[in-house]
Amino acid sequence: MIGHQAEKLEELVASNSKELQKKSKKTRFIAITSGKGGVGKSTISSNLAYVLSQNGLNVGIFDADIGLANLDVMFNVKIKKNILHVLKGEATVSDILIPITRNLILIPGESGNEILKYADAALFKRFMEEAQVLDKLDVMIIDTGAGIGDHIQIFLNAADDVIVVTVPDPAAITDAYATIKTVATLRNDIGLIMNQVKNEREAEAVFEKIRKVALANIGDKLDLQLMGKINSDLKVSSSVKRRALFSISYPNSQPHTDITAIASKIASRLERNMLVSSNESGLTGLFKRLMGHF
């Protein structure tokens, strides 16, 4: 059933490709995921999106953490409708977009499975046309749910980069490894962010343990990279409680320095990603990819 729906949507995407070819920028899709909840994935996603936007990039952040969708809390905004309302014809794309800063837009999302349920030709065609308002995005952060369910793998399949977030806790590390093992069936290159660590030394030590086990069990084709670390700091939890980004509240803190370093790594990848196939831009590009993996 899902395969048939995806096929219908793929045809619709293809029919809109001529218009999309007029663009000259490709959005880079970055999925931020985790093996378990409570490791700071959404905190990192929101602050990373903000820092990237402050570097002059046009950034979208897509909330795909269904059930625990909390980016509205992170950004201290209210969400009334999401992407499903658009697909149902109950709202336009512009209706659901929430501007956070001049270069940062929050896109309230839904799970991949739910999105695929709406294969109505007329509605989807209209959605694709409306979604072109986001085709100028340089990067789209996809904040997925925790774990390795099918509705999460849909987004991991569609992303250019997959970054797993974990903390130096035995249970979290075990779950992160399980996530890496699953993602490795889809791709060889996987990023890892060590959150809530004491220092660089601890981050690298835990990363090397994970990497060693992963290479031994998954194979040497795996390219697991440490994207960076975020120091454990009360300023982070304090910001979350106040519904604020630590990068705004504490711009001189170590966590902000850490997230800025991670953003710089991503920005350097983006520089090599410009002026390519333009039919993978913004929301239209994301949906094209979602359909292409069935």
Side-chain angles (χ1 to χ4, degrees):
M1 181 66 177
I2 286 180
H4 176 62
Q5 291 167 337
E7 196 174 290
K8 286 172 67 179
L9 292 177
E10 201 170 353
E11 289 174 7
L12 288 166
V13 173
S15 71
N16 285 276
S17 63
K18 288 182 181 178
E19 285 299 313
L20 294 172
Q21 290 296 338
K22 294 177 183 176
K23 309 293 187 299
S24 59
K25 182 183 288 184
K26 175 184 175 183
T27 304
R28 190 169 189 98
F29 301 99
I30 303 171
I32 312 287
T33 192
S34 63
K36 68 189 291 287
V39 299
K41 172 181 57 62
S42 294
T43 300
I44 287 175
S45 294
S46 53
N47 281 274
L48 179 60
Y50 171 76
V51 172
L52 285 168
S53 74
Q54 293 304 292
N55 287 345
L57 296 170
N58 290 313
V59 183
I61 181 163
F62 188 90
D63 196 350
D65 190 356
I66 310 311
L68 291 173
N70 58 357
L71 287 182
D72 54 332
V73 175
M74 299 291 174
F75 290 116
N76 196 21
V77 295
K78 291 184 178 180
I79 292 176
K80 295 180 179 179
K81 295 183 177 181
N82 64 23
I83 203 78
L84 273 192
H85 293 95
V86 180
L87 290 172
K88 291 176 181 177
E90 297 171 2
T92 66
V93 170
S94 296
D95 288 338
I96 71 165
L97 300 180
I98 301 176
I100 305 300
T101 66
R102 187 169 60 87
N103 291 350
L104 176 58
I105 293 175
L106 171 61
I107 309 157
E110 251 297 353
S111 73
N113 288 342
E114 286 298 310
I115 287 170
L116 284 172
K117 287 180 181 177
Y118 292 89
D120 179 272
L123 283 178
F124 196 74
K125 184 177 181 182
R126 184 170 64 82
F127 166 75
M128 292 294 281
E129 290 169 354
E130 291 177 1
Q132 289 183 39
V133 69
L134 289 174
D135 284 353
K136 296 296 185 182
L137 291 179
D138 295 302
V139 58
M140 186 185 292
I141 303 288
I142 304 169
D143 185 34
T144 79
I148 49 179
D150 289 344
H151 62 291
I152 294 169
Q153 289 187 49
I154 288 172
F155 290 108
L156 301 183
N157 258 321
D160 290 299
D161 304 291
V162 173
I163 299 175
V164 179
V165 176
T166 191
V167 296
D169 166 82
I173 290 170
T174 299
D175 288 333
Y177 169 70
T179 301
I180 290 166
K181 193 172 182 181
T182 298
V183 177
T185 63
L186 311 173
R187 62 199 304 135
N188 292 323
D189 58 315
I190 304 168
L192 187 72
I193 292 176
M194 291 299 310
N195 193 25
Q196 298 173 19
V197 295
K198 295 175 185 174
N199 48 41
E200 187 86 38
R201 186 176 177 181
E202 182 182 38
E204 290 179 352
V206 175
F207 170 74
E208 282 304 323
K209 285 181 182 178
I210 295 173
R211 184 174 174 274
K212 188 175 181 180
V213 173
L215 287 174
N217 293 280
I218 298 171
D220 56 12
K221 287 185 178 180
L222 176 68
D223 181 17
L224 186 63
Q225 300 177 18
L226 181 60
M227 295 297 294
K229 55 86 177 176
I230 309 288
N231 272 18
S232 181
D233 195 315
L234 290 175
K235 294 183 181 73
V236 175
S237 55
S238 170
S239 296
V240 172
K241 287 176 183 176
R242 290 186 292 105
R243 296 191 170 203
L245 301 181
F246 65 76
S247 286
I248 295 177
S249 299
Y250 302 102
N252 297 317
S253 66
Q254 185 60 47
H256 175 66
T257 300
D258 292 338
I259 200 78
T260 299
I262 294 169
S264 294
K265 277 191 177 181
I266 291 172
S268 66
R269 291 184 178 186
L270 285 171
E271 289 173 6
R272 303 191 296 270
N273 193 52
M274 298 302 181
L275 299 176
V276 288
S277 176
S278 58
N279 60 352
E280 292 194 352
S281 303
L283 267 182
T284 48
L286 175 60
F287 274 67
K288 184 177 177 65
R289 291 183 180 208
L290 292 174
M291 302 316 132
H293 287 287
F294 286 90

